[in-house]
Amino acid sequence: MKRTQLAAAVLLATGSVSAFAATYSVTPLPLQDSARSNFGRSIDEAGQMLTIAQLEYNPPIDVDQLINGTVFFEQFGASLENEDSAREGVFTDADYSTIVSYIISNQTFPQIQKLTQFRTYITDTVDAELVPGLDKITDKFDDYTQSVRVSGRDSLSGDYVVGDSGGLVILDPYENADGDIINYTYPESSQQAFVQVSGETKVLPSVDDTLGGFASARAINNNLQVAGFSTVSFQTAVDEAIERCNDDDLRGDISIDRCLFNLYTGSFTAPRISTPILTTQNLPVPGFVSLSEVNATIWQLDVNGDVINTQTYPLVEEPDEENSFYSYTYAFDINDQGIAVGESLTGAFVAISRPNASVRPESERVATVFRDGETIELLPRGENIISQAIGINNNNWITGAVLPQSSTASRSSLFVYNLETEEKIYPEGFFTSGAVTPNAINNNNIVVGTADVVATNETQRQTAAFMYNIETEELIDLNDLVSCDNTYELVEAVDINDSNEIIANARLRTTRKHVTGVEILNSSGETDEVDSIVAVKLSPLSNGTIDDCELPRDEQPYERQAASTGWLALGGMVLAGLFRRRIKR
């Protein structure tokens, strides 16, 4: 499936910002007409970018499942603009939005159609092509089911794409003890790591594939080594639960596969430094993963994308035998020398005071290097409370984040470390106590990420995309490098390639739209403006100059709000607000 930027009128309205008084031009990715928001993920040396589309317009609706598998029409049919037409699959803009909101908000219902909020596209700023993960084209929709959450993480010249994908949602008709047919709908596996080669998706298997295993692919290097993490062992409780599902007397009145789904269901998010891990049991992981050990994993691929070797890396310290908590090492990046970086739990707890929160014990995690079969702790523990390595380049410079000791509240700080010289630097933010969170580093020794730009006592602060040059030790707000007439507020730089091209997330004022993409009109017949997050490409200008673009407050286009909420959380707020508007009117 390919998305293409709209014709000349849209290009004039949303294309590259002119280069007056700028060293970078700004070009939005071609998904603004396809989804409510989209978030950058990566940019490779060929300029190919991965982006996540959230709440795509015009998703497919299975009306039969809506009627037979839910009580939607019984509860909300009377509030629709045209209930009879909706039952026939013909929707007004408002009714379409109401139905989609209902489906997405109730994904735990056993018989409801599954619709994902997030899918991945690969783009060059002109065309965008779907990265389907484990989704399939079906006869029912004559298209992909749009039921599979897919997170593309990295690409190599656009030819190899790696990431993680949920399982394909299947329909499982089951006749219960009363003779009723229940049409269960659920994904047939937990999250899987994948590589897409020549349009074909291939699973990168977990070391222990009990219940299909669990894995994520985060980065790929020029030697086709993929870094990520996967399950390497499970506790006996998982085997016992599987045995109960296979026992007709113990399983209960559900199908075997539905019973197994109850074991592996659940979402996953690898926590950044800003996310507290009070215990490993409060991590957002599927149930069976909480009873596993997950290790940093490097899959060696051949040119066809097939795995020819797999290596895993254990915890930085051997856990106590009586420790039954979930434990992990995660790899987030890998350079061309095959050196990967990430983090490891230690099994210990540390006391942390976070903004607007009392001191609490959290699981200790440390930045790690995965090299030659060894898991190596990177930074002295006495310098920081916890640490996490995020990126490594071919010069063996590593970047990541730490929580430093603080007499008030600890916020994320940037570090860079050279493996060869053991030089380490802790650059300051834009102000004292300002958080700095890196996302990537290129081979020009430039780090990009997001940083606080306004000092407040709030938990969430206003942020800006930044660039940090290790050689010059300069931390720069990327908003200062773009044109004075730029309409995109750059809140996070996500990745940078060796041409110093950057993919970033920006805030943009747009009109509120139905799920059809049609603008919503208020009671006065006018449109309402809202903030949305969109991915943009920043391209360096060879002859550009920096100018002072400061505007008086009363001339600024709109009041900026705090922008440090992650894109995933922002997506949830967008959906929640939509559902409240349409159902509780």
Side-chain angles (χ1 to χ4, degrees), residues 68-104:
N68 300 318
T70 76
V71 293
F72 171 79
F73 283 106
E74 288 78 3
Q75 290 186 343
F76 306 114
S79 67
L80 297 177
E81 292 182 343
N82 194 325
E83 180 181 356
D84 291 338
S85 293
R87 285 178 176 271
E88 297 297 321
V90 179
F91 313 118
T92 67
D93 291 334
D95 289 350
Y96 200 170
S97 295
T98 299
I99 290 169
V100 171
S101 295
Y102 175 84
I103 291 173
I104 292 179

Side-chain angles (χ1 to χ4, degrees), residues 184-236:
Y184 290 119
T185 56
Y186 52 84
E188 59 185 353
S189 71
S190 183
Q191 177 181 295
Q192 304 288 297
F194 75 86
V195 59
Q196 177 179 295
V197 185
S198 301
E200 181 183 1
T201 300
K202 299 184 178 184
V203 170
L204 304 177
S206 305
V207 174
D208 188 327
D209 61 356
T210 301
L211 290 175
F214 166 88
S216 175
R218 296 289 169 139
I220 183 170
N221 66 14
N222 285 306
N223 299 315
L224 301 183
Q225 292 174 299
V226 178
F229 40 91
S230 70
T231 47
V232 297
S233 66
F234 288 91
Q235 296 179 26
T236 56

Side-chain angles (χ1 to χ4, degrees), residues 321-538:
E321 289 186 7
E322 64 272 15
N323 185 0
S324 61
F325 293 123
Y326 168 58
S327 57
Y328 68 76
T329 52
Y330 295 155
F332 297 124
D333 198 14
I334 187 169
N335 67 10
D336 288 342
Q337 287 79 51
I339 304 171
V341 296
E343 69 174 353
S344 172
L345 291 183
T346 67
F349 289 86
V350 290
I352 298 178
S353 174
R354 292 182 180 271
N356 296 326
S358 58
V359 177
R360 295 180 294 182
E362 296 185 21
S363 293
E364 184 178 49
R365 38 190 169 143
V366 295
T368 47
V369 174
F370 307 108
R371 182 179 193 178
D372 300 328
E374 290 187 87
T375 302
I376 305 167
E377 190 169 347
L378 191 63
L379 301 172
R381 293 190 197 179
E383 292 183 355
N384 306 286
I385 311 174
I386 56 177
S387 59
Q388 179 183 58
I390 292 298
I392 182 171
N393 66 15
N394 290 336
N395 306 317
N396 285 337
W397 275 103
I398 297 169
T399 189
V402 299
L403 277 191
Q405 297 285 352
S406 173
S407 59
T408 54
S410 294
R411 296 180 186 265
S412 173
S413 292
L414 168 67
F415 81 83
V416 290
Y417 180 93
N418 189 282
L419 268 183
E420 305 305 319
T421 66
E422 299 185 356
E423 178 185 3
K424 60 178 178 293
I425 307 170
Y426 295 101
E428 294 184 353
F430 289 120
F431 57 90
T432 302
S433 84
V436 184
T437 304
N439 286 324
I441 183 171
N442 69 2
N443 290 318
N444 301 322
N445 297 337
I446 295 176
V447 178
V448 295
T450 183
D452 293 346
V453 289
V454 176
T456 69
N457 292 324
E458 300 298 321
T459 303
Q460 305 289 348
R461 291 171 165 175
Q462 181 178 317
T463 65
F466 79 82
M467 168 194 292
Y468 173 75
N469 189 317
I470 295 176
E471 308 302 328
T472 63
E473 299 186 357
E474 291 179 295
L475 185 75
I476 300 172
D477 184 338
L478 286 170
N479 290 283
D480 295 337
L481 304 185
V482 298
S483 171
C484 294
D485 59 1
N486 168 57
T487 57
Y488 295 90
E489 181 187 3
L490 307 175
V491 297
E492 179 183 29
V494 180
D495 197 12
I496 182 170
N497 64 17
D498 291 346
S499 299
N500 292 339
E501 297 172 321
I502 299 169
I503 184 170
N505 292 327
R507 182 188 287 109
L508 180 70
R509 292 294 276 180
T510 60
T511 55
R512 196 184 305 278
K513 293 181 175 64
H514 292 288
V515 76
T516 54
V518 175
E519 292 180 335
I520 297 174
L521 300 180
N522 59 28
S523 58
S524 302
E526 300 175 344
T527 59
D528 293 323
E529 287 196 335
V530 294
D531 285 349
S532 64
I533 300 296
V534 297
V536 297
K537 180 183 180 181
L538 307 182

Side-chain angles (χ1 to χ4, degrees), residues 179-342:
D180 299 323
I181 300 297
I182 302 176
N183 290 309
Y184 290 119
T185 56
Y186 52 84
E188 59 185 353
S189 71
S190 183
Q191 177 181 295
Q192 304 288 297
F194 75 86
V195 59
Q196 177 179 295
V197 185
S198 301
E200 181 183 1
T201 300
K202 299 184 178 184
V203 170
L204 304 177
S206 305
V207 174
D208 188 327
D209 61 356
T210 301
L211 290 175
F214 166 88
S216 175
R218 296 289 169 139
I220 183 170
N221 66 14
N222 285 306
N223 299 315
L224 301 183
Q225 292 174 299
V226 178
F229 40 91
S230 70
T231 47
V232 297
S233 66
F234 288 91
Q235 296 179 26
T236 56
V238 174
D239 293 328
E240 293 167 356
I242 293 173
E243 290 177 4
R244 287 194 294 273
C245 283
N246 287 309
D247 189 314
D248 293 341
D249 296 326
L250 300 176
R251 181 175 63 251
D253 196 8
I254 58 175
S255 68
I256 294 175
D257 289 339
R258 171 69 192 189
C259 180
L260 294 175
F261 162 75
N262 289 338
L263 303 181
Y264 63 72
T265 184
S267 61
F268 172 82
T269 303
R272 297 298 296 267
I273 283 289
S274 57
T275 302
I277 304 178
L278 303 182
T279 72
T280 54
Q281 303 307 297
N282 81 318
L283 275 172
V285 296
F288 82 126
V289 175
S290 68
L291 298 171
S292 76
E293 180 173 330
V294 171
N295 281 179
T297 304
I298 296 178
W299 294 272
Q300 176 65 66
L301 310 181
D302 64 17
V303 293
N304 298 313
D306 295 318
V307 177
I308 56 178
N309 183 55
T310 301
Q311 184 170 24
T312 62
Y313 287 83
L315 298 169
V316 72
E317 294 179 357
E318 189 68 25
D320 296 334
E321 289 186 7
E322 64 272 15
N323 185 0
S324 61
F325 293 123
Y326 168 58
S327 57
Y328 68 76
T329 52
Y330 295 155
F332 297 124
D333 198 14
I334 187 169
N335 67 10
D336 288 342
Q337 287 79 51
I339 304 171
V341 296

